[in-house]
Amino acid sequence: MIPFVPLDYETLRLIWWLLLGVLLIGFAIMDGFDLGVGALLPFVARNDDERRIVINSIGPVWEGNQVWLILGGGAIFAAWPMLYAVSFSGFYLAMMVILIAIILRPVGFKYRSKIADPRWRETWDWALFVGGFIPALIFGVAVGNVLRGVPFRFDDSLRPFYEGGFFGLLMPFALLAGLVSLSMLVAHGASMLMLKTSGAISERARIYGSYAALATIVLFALGGIWVALGFDGYVVTSVQDVAGPSNPLAKTAVRQSGAWIANYGAHPWMMVAPLLGFLGSAIALFAYARRLAGLAFIGSATAIVGVISTAGLSLFPFLLPSSLDPNASLTVWDASSSHLTLWIMLLATLVFLPIVLVYTAFVYRVMRGKVTTEGLGRNPNAY
Amino acid sequence: MFDIDVVTLSRLQFAATAMYHFLFVPLTLGLSFLIAIMESVYVMTGRDIWRRMTLFWGTLFGINFAMGVATGVVMEFQFGMNWSYYSHYVGDIFGAPLAIEGLMAFFLEATFIGMFFFGWDRLPKVGHLAVTWLVAFGANFSALWILIANGWMQNPVGGVFNPDTMRMEISDFMAVIFNPVAQAKFVHTVSAGYVAGSVFVIAVSAWFLLRGRHIELAKRSMAVAASFGLAASLSVVVLGDESGYLATENQKMKVAAMEAMWHTEPAPAAINVIAFPNMAKQDNSFSISIPYLLGIIGTRSLSQELPGIVNLVDNAKVKIRNGITAYTALQKIRADKNDAAARATFSETWKDLGYGLLLKLHRPDIENATEADITAAANETIPDVPVLFWAFRIMVGLGFYLIGFFIVAFWTASRHRLGDKRWMLWVALLSLPLPWVAIEVGWIVAEFGRQPWIIEGVLPTFYAASGLTLVDLSISLAIFLVLYTSLAIVEVYLMVHAIKKGPTAAEPMEPQGGTILPGAAFARPQQH
């Protein structure tokens, strides 16, 4: 017997679509500055002392931040199992590249400063750079591929088949999306470095941050034009039962020109999302110029919210369109978990996520203040 | 129809990455509590030696933890990457504990681990102690949810197959959480982790004593680890999960295979101490057995029968026939959603659908399976008996050895004789790898013994893999092996480096006297 669930299936699916966005944005804001700092490491720090300051600016918090990625993976598995199954197996080698980067990160942080030998440290610095740069780029490439449609289909037992290779993922539009994500996270990392460091490092971060924020504006605009004019989106052509069983093959869908911008015409309030993407980057630019670290962080975080929301709203109700068989595309209404699982997972999220946010805030409060060489000298555990 | 090489490589990769991951997890589980105990003593007594112990073992904990994190992320992503049909088929149930693990446990552990290392001079003593305990609890909660997920693979309760979505869906989440197999596995696995942590502390301390270095630190560490380890080693064996195995049919098969018991015997069954199982003959070429013992251990009774392998294969044949009926009904439902007769048949037989799917290895149209197909599929429900038999014996043998190890260690520590006999120190040092060997072979028993199922009775392993190419898999497997092995070597090197450097390097982080938050409960004057 299925227990009583107070929210209907349609509402829960919509909530979980929103929570998917919250988790991705949470990941991009919290772990995003770690990735950005990693990507900036060779450029903002010129010697070992400076590198240690940069690494330790995120040292105490990066592990907690990375859990947003792990939680994101787990939540997609639990709430959108088909999305998890199709995308993770389809993007197999791209996932491997991300995994290599993510495997190198924890050991890079922990092992780097255990031994003073310069070659040892340079090797791990390189690992930390790769560990920041690669995921920041590839996550965007993945979103670019989702917007273009991904070549997968199902057989009649809903077994997914992916019919594309690794290099097919590196199409021009996807690379552009990758650069948007990279520049947005690099700007965010620069904001964090301005908050946590002083002197030359902070100054260099400010300059790189300005370039990155500017690049975000230009590339995001370019991406928008490309999405509007350059290729087709997808639309559902049959009536979808928004509370029906999760079976993607129960609907029909086709490719259609301008489909990815149709939502903005139908619901003009959605324009807030792209506007936030531009506005956030502009605020960050202004704050870099005025050396306002806190405002820069708010700006780069706002840009992240705007850019990710834009992608999500453009796709809605699609989660993962199929270029091979548009009918097989995954949408919010046919790729979710069961009604009961969505409800249980919502309860778990409502209980635990606020607790997580409280203790995360506590940790940031305890660890507040700038990182200095003197401070590092006092702590044998510093990276 | 199924590329068995793809399945085999996918299994190899999962086994390799899981076994690597579990080189690091046990130490995290065990050492986190040991460190929390040491720091508690420091906070209660204010004696500096306990602070230095906390810092020293904390450094080693950190080196190990990094590898645990690095290898752990892969585990979560691999279900989707390599086992996409599995992810679709059971994600509705299996995904939830994984997501809750992140929310409830890993967030806690990972957020506070930074504070553990960076918070010494920013937190009051009691505040830092609280952080250390939170890390330990986070690690153990994490194990709880992962083993709830894993326990469900062994004993899939609380779910029902939905023909409209072609997957298992949750019907009773409480049954998933309070799954007896999961609970038994949790206690067994974390206890094994505590044993590994304790042996690690004792072995490293023994090395210090052999070298005549850091005597005070080594003796105290040993004493803590001896008591903790004694309790844990008893818990591993006494609360070990053999009794939990008996919940389901495949678990019965696993027990029968572990014991190389081919035929049902009158209760209570004898135990084979040594046997050379022969898969082809379905019998043992040679065996030495002790009467009654297995029945008593396995069923905790004198009257309950333990089924033999051959008898379980006969049961499987019945289930396979039932599974064909379920599969045929499912095909009808797929052709016509409103076929009420087919739905009625399906709802009576769906529990054996997985047994029907075993036939897919032999033919795509399983509704036309021959008697020979059914016999072949039923025989394939037997896991690799010789491997299980011997792996289980290695695990149990090491388990009993470690109980003896901790009894001696505890006895010696309570008589203040630690370090008196050098040969004992050598034994302690050389015992270092043993818990890891026991843990890894334990996982082989648990997961290799689950074959041919990925979800016992529900989904055959070969049916669950992603449709990847051999090239994809060869690349990824090679990357994992090279990367993990290199990093494991670096990890051991750094461990040895940190141990040689010893606790004196971990100077002088004094907890601060004041308070961070106004009105915080732990704001108390500190004494150093």
Side-chain angles (χ1 to χ4, degrees):
Chain A
M1 207 202 80
I2 304 293
F4 173 70
V5 176
L7 289 173
D8 64 48
Y9 204 4
E10 180 188 2
T11 312
L12 275 170
R13 280 170 164 160
L14 203 57
I15 288 173
W16 269 101
W17 177 75
L18 285 170
L19 281 176
L20 179 63
V22 168
L23 291 174
L24 290 178
I25 289 170
F27 163 70
I29 289 181
M30 300 300 288
D31 204 33
F33 65 72
D34 297 334
L35 298 177
V37 167
L40 281 168
L41 177 63
F43 305 103
V44 295
R46 305 269 162 90
N47 56 46
D48 189 58
D49 281 345
E50 289 187 355
R51 289 200 193 115
R52 286 197 68 192
I53 289 175
V54 170
I55 291 166
N56 283 283
S57 71
I58 52 174
V61 294
W62 82 270
E63 260 154 335
N65 294 339
Q66 184 167 284
V67 183
W68 285 93
L69 174 70
I70 292 161
L71 177 61
I76 295 176
F77 198 175
W80 305 101
M82 291 192 133
L83 178 61
Y84 174 79
V86 175
S87 62
F88 281 38
S89 61
F91 296 153
Y92 188 75
L93 288 181
M95 291 296 300
M96 276 306 297
V97 174
I98 289 181
L99 283 181
I100 295 170
I102 283 174
I103 289 167
L104 288 175
R105 246 153 54 102
V107 279
F109 278 105
K110 200 80 209 174
Y111 294 175
R112 178 202 185 274
S113 295
K114 296 271 181 224
I115 288 175
D117 176 51
R119 272 186 30 224
W120 169 273
R121 290 193 170 180
E122 273 163 28
T123 308
W124 290 115
D125 290 341
W126 188 83
L128 284 171
F129 166 72
V130 169
F133 174 86
I134 292 285
L137 181 75
I138 304 268
F139 283 124
V141 172
V143 174
N145 274 282
V146 172
L147 284 160
R148 290 303 305 256
V150 176
F152 71 94
R153 61 181 175 82
F154 291 106
D155 72 3
D156 65 343
S157 55
L158 288 183
R159 178 183 295 276
F161 290 89
Y162 179 84
E163 296 181 9
F166 173 65
F167 293 101
L169 299 174
L170 303 175
M171 59 181 95
F173 174 74
L175 289 176
L176 175 70
L179 291 177
V180 172
S181 136
L182 179 64
S183 55
M184 150 181 122
L185 297 183
V186 164
H188 197 45
S191 305
M192 194 61 183
L193 282 175
M194 281 176 69
L195 276 171
K196 296 296 289 183
T197 65
S198 49
I201 300 173
S202 173
E203 192 56 24
R204 286 180 208 128
R206 191 178 75 84
I207 292 162
Y208 283 110
S210 310
Y211 290 138
L214 196 62
T216 308
I217 293 175
V218 173
L219 296 168
F220 185 49
L222 212 60
I225 296 166
W226 202 332
V227 168
L229 305 175
F231 57 90
D232 298 345
Y234 292 78
V235 286
V236 175
T237 48
S238 59
V239 177
Q240 260 191 305
D241 180 0
V242 292
S246 286
N247 187 332
L249 297 180
K251 60 138 184 343
T252 57
V254 293
R255 216 168 312 202
Q256 195 176 79
S257 155
W260 287 158
I261 51 170
N263 279 340
Y264 300 101
H267 311 282
W269 61 266
M270 289 185 181
M271 285 302 288
V272 172
L275 288 177
L276 279 181
F278 291 117
L279 183 69
S281 301
I283 291 173
L285 264 182
F286 170 80
Y288 294 135
R290 297 292 175 89
R291 295 185 166 79
L292 302 168
L295 187 65
F297 189 83
I298 292 171
S300 51
T302 306
I304 288 173
V305 175
V307 170
I308 294 180
S309 306
T310 303
L313 288 169
S314 303
L315 285 161
F316 189 87
F318 286 87
L319 295 169
L320 190 69
S322 166
S323 56
L324 195 65
D325 173 14
N327 293 343
S329 301
L330 306 183
T331 73
V332 174
W333 315 120
D334 62 18
S336 77
S337 281
S338 64
H339 195 174
L340 181 57
T341 295
L342 290 184
W343 171 242
I344 291 165
M345 288 308 302
L346 178 61
L347 289 183
T349 309
L350 289 178
V351 171
F352 289 112
L353 199 56
I355 298 175
V356 169
L357 294 176
V358 167
Y359 62 62
T360 303
F362 170 75
V363 166
Y364 276 84
R365 191 176 154 78
V366 171
M367 297 312 304
R368 71 184 179 276
K370 303 231 185 229
V371 179
T372 58
T373 307
E374 299 74 57
L376 294 180
R378 284 200 303 273
N379 184 358
N381 289 318
Y383 299 146
Chain B
M1 162 167 193
F2 292 96
D3 189 338
I4 282 304
D5 292 335
V6 166
V7 177
T8 306
L9 276 184
S10 300
R11 284 180 60 194
L12 262 178
Q13 180 169 310
F14 202 91
T17 50
M19 289 177 80
Y20 262 105
H21 183 49
F22 239 81
L23 290 175
F24 311 106
V25 173
L27 195 53
T28 301
L29 290 172
L31 211 45
S32 59
F33 270 130
L34 284 163
I35 291 169
I37 292 169
M38 290 174 191
E39 193 176 343
S40 300
V41 177
Y42 164 59
V43 172
M44 285 188 288
T45 64
R47 294 175 63 188
D48 193 60
I49 177 87
W50 291 93
R51 183 186 61 82
R52 292 201 299 130
M53 282 160 63
T54 310
L55 281 169
F56 171 68
W57 296 109
T59 302
L60 301 183
F61 175 79
I63 294 170
N64 174 71
F65 186 78
M67 281 300 286
V69 174
T71 53
V73 182
V74 174
M75 297 313 300
E76 195 189 35
F77 285 26
Q78 268 196 126
F79 292 107
M81 290 168 66
N82 293 80
W83 303 96
S84 60
Y85 199 57
Y86 169 92
S87 304
H88 156 70
Y89 208 87
V90 299
D92 194 74
I93 304 168
F94 185 84
L98 288 195
I100 296 174
E101 186 265 344
L103 267 173
M104 178 183 165
F106 194 50
F107 248 128
L108 188 69
E109 184 186 8
T111 305
F112 283 109
I113 192 129
M115 294 273 278
F116 175 78
F117 289 112
F118 287 85
W120 281 100
D121 56 352
R122 287 174 181 252
L123 287 168
K125 268 189 193 177
V126 178
H128 191 276
L129 177 63
V131 162
T132 309
W133 279 103
L134 286 173
V135 170
F137 280 119
N140 282 270
F141 283 144
S142 178
L144 173 66
W145 287 102
I146 296 301
L147 288 160
I148 286 175
N150 177 267
W152 192 78
M153 297 170 79
Q154 323 281 347
N155 181 29
V157 288
V160 59
F161 189 88
N162 181 345
D164 298 312
T165 55
M166 286 299 293
R167 65 180 181 194
M168 295 293 292
E169 293 184 353
I170 213 156
S171 60
D172 183 354
F173 191 57
M174 287 300 139
V176 175
I177 294 180
F178 295 108
N179 183 349
V181 175
Q183 300 297 322
K185 282 190 85 111
F186 169 65
V187 175
H188 186 62
T189 309
V190 295
S191 302
Y194 306 156
V195 168
S198 304
V199 170
F200 178 80
V201 168
I202 289 178
V204 172
S205 303
W207 186 78
F208 282 152
L209 292 181
L210 282 169
R211 289 296 187 92
R213 292 166 57 189
H214 318 302
I215 308 277
E216 289 304 298
L217 176 138
K219 284 189 174 174
R220 282 179 174 79
S221 302
M222 260 190 175
V224 173
S227 349
F228 189 63
L230 179 59
S233 61
L234 289 170
S235 152
V236 172
V237 175
V238 177
L239 306 175
D241 52 1
E242 192 161 15
S243 55
Y245 276 149
L246 294 165
T248 65
E249 201 73 2
N250 174 260
Q251 302 291 78
K252 285 178 191 153
M253 178 64 97
K254 194 189 282 180
V255 172
M258 274 155 38
E259 304 296 356
M261 191 176 70
W262 293 95
H263 303 281
T264 306
E265 293 177 29
I271 196 164
N272 289 319
V273 182
I274 293 177
F276 295 106
N278 185 323
M279 293 287 282
K281 276 192 352 200
Q282 302 207 337
D283 211 338
N284 296 326
S285 311
F286 169 80
S287 66
I288 299 174
S289 52
I290 302 174
Y292 307 141
L293 193 56
L294 179 59
I296 295 167
I297 299 172
T299 65
R300 311 274 197 270
S301 86
L302 292 170
S303 56
Q304 202 182 328
E305 257 184 10
L306 275 172
I309 295 170
V310 174
N311 310 72
L312 288 166
V313 168
D314 287 338
N315 294 356
K317 283 183 191 160
V318 177
K319 284 168 179 284
I320 290 169
R321 289 201 184 85
N322 212 11
I324 296 173
T325 313
Y327 184 80
T328 315
L330 180 60
Q331 295 292 74
K332 285 186 188 153
I333 297 170
R334 266 152 38 179
D336 172 13
K337 276 204 297 189
N338 303 315
D339 188 337
R343 282 191 187 262
T345 311
F346 186 75
S347 67
E348 273 169 25
T349 51
W350 72 267
K351 284 193 173 160
D352 291 326
L353 176 64
Y355 279 86
L357 294 178
L358 286 172
L359 290 164
K360 285 273 183 186
L361 201 55
H362 301 275
R363 59 191 309 149
D365 53 333
I366 63 181
E367 53 276 39
N368 302 322
T370 63
E371 204 52 33
D373 293 331
I374 292 173
T375 306
N379 278 325
E380 282 158 13
T381 60
I382 308 175
D384 192 320
V385 179
V387 170
L388 287 195
F389 181 84
W390 287 109
F392 183 65
R393 264 144 198 77
I394 293 170
M395 179 183 82
V396 172
L398 288 172
F400 280 108
Y401 167 78
L402 288 167
I403 291 179
F405 176 93
F406 283 114
I407 289 174
V408 173
F410 184 76
W411 177 247
T412 319
S414 42
R415 296 180 38 183
H416 301 285
R417 293 274 177 82
L418 286 173
D420 287 3
K421 294 202 171 68
R422 286 185 73 80
W423 68 268
M424 283 174 100
L425 296 174
W426 274 110
V427 171
L429 181 58
L430 295 175
S431 297
L432 178 60
L434 298 183
W436 276 267
V437 176
I439 286 167
E440 297 288 354
V441 292
W443 277 111
I444 289 174
V445 172
E447 309 305 307
F448 197 54
R450 194 189 61 235
Q451 303 305 323
W453 302 104
I454 193 163
I455 301 284
E456 192 262 299
V458 169
L459 189 64
T461 307
F462 71 86
Y463 202 62
S466 302
L468 298 167
T469 65
L470 287 176
V471 176
D472 287 346
L473 279 162
S474 309
I475 292 173
S476 61
L477 184 56
I479 289 174
F480 279 128
L481 290 180
V482 171
L483 197 57
Y484 278 13
T485 306
S486 320
L487 291 177
I489 292 169
V490 171
E491 197 244 12
V492 171
Y493 170 76
L494 281 178
M495 279 273 190
V496 172
H497 184 80
I499 291 167
K500 281 187 177 159
K501 235 167 124 184
T504 42
E507 279 300 308
M509 294 294 292
E510 295 287 330
Q512 73 163 41
T515 168
I516 289 291
L517 292 177
F522 39 72
R524 279 222 211 112
Q526 305 293 315
Q527 300 148 4
H528 297 306

